[in-house]
Amino acid sequence: MEKYETREHDVLVVGAGGAGLRAAIEASAQGASVGLVTKSLLGKAHTVMAEGGIAAALGHVDTQDGWETHFQDTMKGGSFLNHWRMAQIHAQEAPDRVRELEQWGALFDRTPDGRILQRAFGGHKWKRLAHVGDRTGLEMIRTLQDRGVHQGLEVYMECTLTKLFVVGGRIAGALGYWRESGRFVVFRAKSIVLATGGIGKSYSITSNSWEYTGDGQALAYEAGAELIDMEFVQFHPTGMVWPPGVQGILVTEGVRGEGGILRNSAGERFMWKYLPENRRHEYAESEDEARRWLEASVAGKQTDARRPPELSTRDNVARAIYTENREGRGTPHGGAFLDISYLPAERVKRKLPSMYHQFLELADVDITKQAMEVGPTTHYMMGGIRVDPDTAASNVPGLYAAGEAAAGLHGANRLGGNSLSDLLVFGRRAGAAAAAYATSITATLHIADDEIEAETRDLLAPFGRSGGESPFEVHRALQVLMQAQVGIFRTASDLEAAVEALAGLNARAARVAVEGSRLFNPGWHLVRDLRNMLMVSEAIARSAALRRESRGAHSRLDYPNLDPASSEFNTCIVREHGAMKLTTLPLAPMPADLKALFEAKSPVAQS
Amino acid sequence: MSGEHPTPSEAVLRVQRGDATESKLVEYRVPVEPGMVVLDAIHWIQAHRAPDLAVRWNCKAAKCGSCSAEVNGRPALMCKSRMDHFKPDAPIEVRPMKTFPIIKDLVTDVSWNYEVNKRIAPFQPRAGAEWRWKQSDVDRAQEFRKCIECFLCQDVCHVLRQHEMKHQFAGPRFFVRIAGLEMHPIDAGDRIGHLRDHAGLGLCNITKCCSDVCPEGIHITDNAIIPLKERVVDRHYDPLRWVWDRIRGVPAAGA
Ligand SMILES: Cc1cc2nc3c(=O)[nH]c(=O)nc-3n(C[C@H](O)[C@H](O)[C@H](O)COP(=O)(O)OP(=O)(O)OC[C@H]3O[C@@H](n4cnc5c(N)ncnc54)[C@H](O)[C@@H]3O)c2cc1C
Ligand code: SF4
Ligand code: SF4
Ligand code: FES
């Protein structure tokens, strides 16, 4: 049998992005011994890329803001499929988590009176995003990283977990390999927090890194956890579209928050046409009102002017750009123009420094002088591991999940900025609950040798094969398939065809071969990642076929409307006898006091 | 850094392959499309020629600092190195960072940096501080917090690169980090003694090579290192300051 090392912890946190770091810090603060595992080096996780900001109803710029409005915006943005309790906890606790981050050393941008500055973002009624230029994620991850390091976390870098062990229905540990050497390691733990992020590498146009292969979702599924709402994949409306070398790289929504205007090839500001009727009253009704809003925004003043139409929710803006192209009004490279060059160059450089450099260096575009060309890119996974709203516990005892790997907070569509706050609020709760669970258990469970052996044998199999395909080829085929048939617009026939094609890809993936040694071997690493991506892709396609309506990020050409009569449920996937079982779960009924928040007319609507 | 040459249809890359025991340059011909960067070419090689070619990357947008290497002898992020920036008919040479031990191909062992970081006294807010400050109070510290930990400055600094003084010199990245903490408006931590006695600030002879390669444009030498040097000098060699500190009960630096 293959040799392996063993490590033991009370709590094992998988993932060192914002959610994982916050969970680990909390579990450790509760006295648990904590191991933190990450596929990359510390500080490189996706969270480092987040740009625009972190949503929290601090009310520093728009003093009318409060948790209730943040809650309302989140529920509306998610088309009411969000778990109300998660949305409530999130809105209530986000301000404290932001202040805490500041008390741990984060340096946010300031208002003129010296408090944390907040900016506008799509779907948020008030200016709500605390930010640091356009590198908010970097500030967050560095602050947490440094906090964690001094708190005595044991960090295992460049280690990929491939299997969770469940003994007698409870979590017992996990197996993984060191990327550097290819050697195996078994972690014995009383509880595990999955904070592994998203799934975007299943698509060809994506803002996501190589790490976003749905590992947490797949590991949890194989361990018996439920996955919900897998059909909801967010396509961010503004990725770079040209030149081809940079396709998919994100253009932060902060650009629209700072006044960026979307136009088609005819120069038309098209977003006016695409505001949903029932939300139209929340947006400016003329160029003049949009300009007044912007002037107040630049001056850091309050205004009764309403926000520009570009600040509609992401699903809506992505579909609008897509439709403009389908109808022949797209840009030369199939996107839309996003223009902020009419603002003073100094302001653009100050508020959006990394966007300025990104376009200048990668696309030869000076955004202070020219418009950017942008189009939809796969960005965020709303679906994932089903968790208890208060404790982040999955249905497998000892298994917790937080951040993008978990589901429930965002419903059918996530509002920008709500992810960074999600990481802190539920990362902390997951860490606390996982530590409390670990304390309630006397010893780690024994993991049988043959289980370990089966997994290591499986992992090493591609080395022995000859004549198999390269995993890169199968991966490419998967990306093309998902982009074309499970992308922004979906139909029953496309989805059925996709499920069938995925079965074929699964068979191909089972036969791939790798060359070289076990030392830092990306081809070999991709084999395991591919298995996770295929599993997640199948879950997305199947759930998407089940949801016969268009809601949030899920758009069906054959069912273009919302179907409140029969679609108010979460889709749910669980493994049964080795196969994917798809069901629906009724929504948790919202308590009367929260429900009342939606019945009262909003002040803007009355005016 | 706009393209200096028209996009060629093909490029030749010479990539260092191998591990600590043995390595050599291997040549690959790669098709080129507009806007392509060296990291794209490396990925193309991985997908079509050498699936076991080791490289680190995450964001492909110059935000994570993972893809550091030496491209034609210059420390750079591969995801920011445009193919049309190089002469079209000459091969592009890609090697790992030289200052760190090689693991495989373009991947080096940078774990030493994480050890250095652990020894820096963490952020410590002043008791009873008011959490309000002006943007102008944080502009300076924010510059240092832009660091993406690519370690290119560490790679280029001769104190580490030629003289291998890792045991007594923290390197520019960590002077930047310390400057960020020291210039935080309400930090009360003390890192001045550490800078002199353990981090080896005195070994820096302000050649500015680190500032030249920083992809974040941080003025490492002028804005971080020189002011820190001044603080060390003030603390340690200003007799008046020394007496004043004793009266106020500030412990001797390095104690
Ligand atoms: C370009 C960009 C800009 C964004 N801007 C914003 C923004 O302005 N505001 C906002 O709120 N959100 C933003 N987002 C979204 C947000 O950044 C992410 O949703 C969030 O950072 C996810 O955090 P996380 O902690 O869940 O996961 P991550 O930060 O992605 O961390 C995942 C961790 O899990 C590890 N991991 C994964 N699989 C394994 C495995 N098998 N074994 C071991 N470790 C594993 C990874 O190595 C990594 O450490 C943006 C996203 C992108 C891509
Ligand atoms: S300025 Fe100092 S730290 Fe920077 S490269 Fe020169 S010696 Fe090294
Ligand atoms: S200071 Fe600049 S060069 Fe040095 S690690 Fe940070 S970003 Fe890289
Ligand atoms: S891949 Fe992130 S900096 Fe190059």
Side-chain angles (χ1 to χ4, degrees):
Chain A
M1 158 162 191
E2 268 297 313
K3 284 212 251 350
Y4 60 85
E5 18 174 332
T6 308
R7 304 294 168 99
E8 188 158 342
H9 289 285
D10 294 330
V11 179
L12 184 70
V13 178
V14 193
L21 278 164
R22 189 63 191 83
I25 289 169
E26 193 63 25
S28 161
Q30 308 282 333
S33 108
V34 180
L36 177 65
V37 193
T38 146
K39 285 215 270 193
S40 291
L41 295 171
L42 188 58
K44 309 294 180 193
H46 229 72
T47 301
V48 83
M49 292 180 230
E51 295 163 350
I54 174 169
L58 294 158
H60 287 178
V61 176
D62 289 330
T63 47
Q64 311 93 313
D65 203 8
W67 76 262
E68 292 92 343
T69 331
H70 193 182
F71 169 76
Q72 287 169 322
D73 290 348
T74 302
M75 292 297 298
K76 286 191 210 163
S79 249
F80 290 90
L81 291 192
N82 336 44
H83 196 302
W84 63 266
R85 175 70 183 147
M86 271 182 107
Q88 180 190 28
I89 292 173
H90 169 254
Q92 286 173 335
E93 294 183 1
D96 280 345
R97 298 285 77 76
V98 171
R99 280 189 280 266
E100 177 179 75
L101 208 60
E102 177 165 83
Q103 284 157 12
W104 292 352
L107 276 175
F108 290 100
D109 286 353
R110 314 311 291 180
T111 61
D113 65 349
R115 297 186 298 167
I116 296 175
L117 181 60
Q118 299 182 273
R119 68 157 51 117
F121 242 53
H124 291 283
K125 183 164 185 188
W126 307 116
K127 295 185 199 75
R128 190 175 281 149
L129 271 77
H131 61 277
V132 188
D134 50 11
R135 53 166 189 86
T136 312
L138 173 63
E139 188 70 15
M140 178 159 154
I141 207 160
R142 209 60 87 225
T143 304
L144 293 173
Q145 176 184 345
D146 289 327
R147 175 93 189 172
V149 161
H150 286 283
Q151 204 169 308
L153 307 175
E154 189 83 50
V155 184
Y156 303 101
M157 295 201 275
E158 298 199 315
C159 179
T160 302
L161 294 193
T162 65
K163 185 173 175 67
L164 302 181
F165 296 110
V166 178
V167 175
R170 264 170 44 200
I171 279 295
L175 181 132
Y177 63 83
W178 304 106
R179 297 179 74 76
E180 178 177 338
S181 63
R183 303 263 154 228
F184 297 119
V185 51
V186 169
F187 292 94
R188 291 153 55 85
K190 295 176 186 163
S191 55
I192 291 184
V193 180
L194 291 173
T196 52
I199 59 101
K201 284 310 269 184
S202 297
Y203 289 83
S204 50
I205 301 176
T206 177
S207 65
N208 292 178
S209 82
W210 68 272
E211 294 195 289
Y212 266 26
T213 52
D215 293 12
Q217 292 85 341
L219 288 173
Y221 166 79
E222 280 168 11
E226 294 165 332
L227 305 181
I228 58 165
D229 292 342
M230 295 295 282
E231 66 274 32
F232 295 113
V233 177
Q234 180 170 77
F235 298 91
H236 194 293
T238 62
M240 292 174 80
V241 294
W242 183 261
V246 300
Q247 207 179 35
I249 296 179
L250 194 75
V251 177
T252 173
E253 193 167 318
V255 175
R256 282 173 286 139
E258 296 293 340
I261 292 175
L262 284 166
R263 294 187 197 281
N264 59 21
S265 57
E268 192 190 357
R269 187 172 187 175
F270 59 83
M271 275 315 297
W272 301 110
K273 288 189 299 200
Y274 293 95
L275 294 172
E277 271 324 308
N278 60 344
R279 301 272 160 77
R280 196 172 280 277
H281 64 271
E282 296 173 12
Y283 296 89
E285 60 184 15
S286 63
E287 296 272 351
D288 179 57
E289 187 177 355
R291 193 165 45 244
R292 277 193 290 122
W293 180 93
L294 182 65
E295 275 159 15
S297 178
V298 169
K301 292 204 181 103
Q302 280 186 36
T303 172
D304 55 7
R306 290 162 298 177
R307 59 190 190 264
E310 279 78 13
L311 289 174
S312 177
T313 52
R314 288 178 177 178
D315 52 338
N316 200 38
V317 182
R319 270 190 305 270
I321 296 178
Y322 202 93
T323 307
E324 284 296 304
N325 275 279
R326 227 180 20 189
E327 296 175 359
R329 291 182 300 272
T331 61
H333 305 104
F337 292 114
L338 175 60
D339 186 16
I340 195 151
S341 65
Y342 67 96
L343 287 176
E346 273 325 299
R347 178 173 168 85
V348 174
K349 287 188 206 171
R350 167 158 187 86
K351 301 307 285 185
L352 302 161
S354 58
M355 283 305 107
Y356 171 72
H357 286 113
Q358 183 171 311
F359 272 91
L360 200 61
E361 282 156 14
L362 300 178
D364 299 330
V365 168
D366 181 343
I367 67 169
T368 68
K369 299 200 178 93
Q370 288 160 273
M372 296 160 247
E373 221 186 310
V374 296
T377 182
T378 315
H379 185 59
Y380 185 88
M381 184 50 161
M382 269 76 69
I385 303 160
R386 184 160 98 100
V387 292
D388 174 73
D390 289 84
T391 62
S394 76
N395 59 305
V396 178
L399 185 62
Y400 299 78
E404 196 170 335
L409 170 60
H410 308 292
N413 174 44
R414 171 180 73 94
L415 299 185
N418 266 5
S419 172
L420 292 186
S421 42
D422 172 10
L423 308 183
L424 294 176
V425 168
F426 294 101
R428 173 177 158 277
R429 281 178 170 261
Y437 179 87
T439 317
S440 75
I441 296 219
T442 46
T444 49
L445 296 161
H446 175 73
I447 304 166
D449 273 348
D450 53 351
E451 274 210 60
I452 294 171
E453 197 182 343
E455 175 64 11
T456 57
R457 212 182 316 115
D458 216 40
L459 286 168
L460 293 174
F463 280 111
R465 285 190 205 117
S466 56
E469 257 184 302
S470 149
F472 289 96
E473 274 167 45
V474 185
H475 183 205
R476 190 67 210 157
L478 170 67
Q479 291 183 315
V480 170
L481 171 76
M482 291 301 284
Q483 191 76 36
Q485 291 183 307
V486 197
I488 299 190
F489 284 106
R490 301 160 175 183
T491 63
S493 55
D494 275 355
L495 293 170
E496 277 159 30
V499 170
E500 212 164 294
L502 283 166
L505 288 177
N506 261 309
R508 280 168 69 183
R511 291 192 304 263
V512 292
V514 299
E515 49 187 79
S517 73
R518 278 165 72 179
L519 237 79
F520 214 113
N521 186 335
W524 178 45
H525 302 160
L526 181 58
V527 179
R528 192 60 183 78
D529 293 349
L530 193 53
R531 200 169 113 188
N532 296 334
M533 283 186 271
L534 283 162
M535 182 267 134
V536 165
S537 298
E538 185 183 338
I540 296 170
R542 285 187 189 277
S543 310
L546 182 82
R547 184 168 290 286
R548 294 190 188 88
E549 64 167 346
S550 292
R551 185 188 289 260
H554 172 70
S555 304
R556 291 276 304 249
L557 289 174
D558 43 357
Y559 297 95
N561 301 316
L562 201 72
D563 176 16
S566 65
S567 288
E568 308 262 281
F569 56 76
N570 298 115
T571 56
C572 177
I573 279 183
V574 65
R575 192 171 186 217
E576 225 176 71
H577 310 299
M580 215 171 256
K581 189 182 143 203
L582 186 55
T583 55
T584 60
L585 300 173
L587 301 180
M590 204 188 287
D593 56 331
L594 292 180
K595 229 180 186 164
L597 289 174
F598 298 97
E599 279 145 18
K601 277 235 171 74
S602 74
V604 177
Q606 284 166 339
S607 67
Chain B
M1 207 202 279
S2 89
E4 290 171 2
H5 307 282
T7 307
S9 58
E10 200 182 58
V12 174
L13 266 82
R14 285 203 187 131
V15 184
Q16 181 171 321
R17 302 289 319 262
D19 53 29
T21 49
E22 202 187 353
S23 69
K24 57 174 190 292
L25 287 176
V26 180
E27 210 170 272
Y28 302 95
R29 304 187 84 80
V30 176
V32 178
E33 34 173 40
M36 199 161 144
V37 292
V38 169
L39 185 63
D40 293 317
I42 297 289
H43 283 156
W44 189 92
I45 296 168
Q46 258 186 350
H48 299 94
R49 298 284 177 270
D52 61 339
L53 169 58
V55 62
R56 282 197 185 103
W57 74 283
N58 272 44
C59 67
K60 222 201 132 220
K63 294 200 172 78
C64 72
S66 303
C67 65
S68 309
E70 299 187 4
V71 184
N72 282 352
R74 189 184 154 79
L77 296 177
M78 283 184 271
C79 70
K80 223 182 153 185
S81 304
R82 292 255 304 254
M83 297 292 280
D84 55 9
H85 190 65
F86 302 101
K87 277 210 232 84
D89 27 287
I92 299 168
E93 201 173 280
V94 191
R95 294 176 182 270
M97 288 191 284
K98 179 170 175 274
T99 296
F100 306 107
I102 189 161
I103 292 176
K104 192 183 137 193
D105 302 338
L106 301 175
V107 173
T108 57
D109 178 359
V110 292
S111 56
W112 166 76
N113 292 286
Y114 291 88
E115 296 307 314
V116 174
N117 193 32
K118 279 186 201 162
R119 292 193 287 269
I120 296 171
F123 172 65
Q124 201 196 322
R126 210 173 340 105
E130 230 216 300
W131 295 87
R132 278 204 184 204
W133 49 74
K134 292 232 152 45
Q135 184 60 41
S136 54
D137 300 333
V138 291
D139 279 343
R140 235 177 141 192
Q142 279 185 338
E143 175 186 0
F144 307 129
R145 300 185 62 92
K146 288 194 310 199
C147 169
I148 56 175
E149 296 206 325
C150 63
F151 305 132
L152 289 171
C153 56
Q154 304 284 82
D155 183 44
V156 84
C157 173
H158 60 97
V159 183
L160 296 167
R161 192 179 175 101
Q162 273 100 36
H163 306 294
E164 306 219 352
M165 293 166 105
K166 291 204 184 77
H167 53 293
Q168 45 181 309
F169 187 68
R173 154 60 187 139
F174 298 99
F175 300 141
V176 164
R177 161 131 174 75
I178 292 173
L181 287 163
E182 290 285 311
M183 290 171 204
H184 189 295
I186 62 163
D187 172 74
D190 183 353
R191 299 161 198 92
I192 300 301
H194 178 81
L195 270 172
R196 189 190 64 167
D197 301 332
H198 305 287
L201 184 65
L203 291 168
C204 161
N205 47 14
I206 42 182
T207 56
K208 299 201 186 183
C209 312
C210 50
S211 308
D212 287 345
V213 298
C214 178
E216 282 296 310
I218 301 171
H219 298 93
I220 304 175
T221 324
D222 290 342
N223 292 354
I225 295 178
I226 294 175
L228 287 178
K229 278 185 180 258
E230 280 164 4
R231 285 191 189 198
V232 171
V233 170
D234 281 357
R235 168 77 63 84
H236 292 281
Y237 308 110
D238 178 351
L240 278 178
R241 169 71 187 259
W242 193 87
V243 171
W244 176 236
D245 280 354
R246 292 291 79 72
I247 296 167
R248 288 167 65 225
V250 175

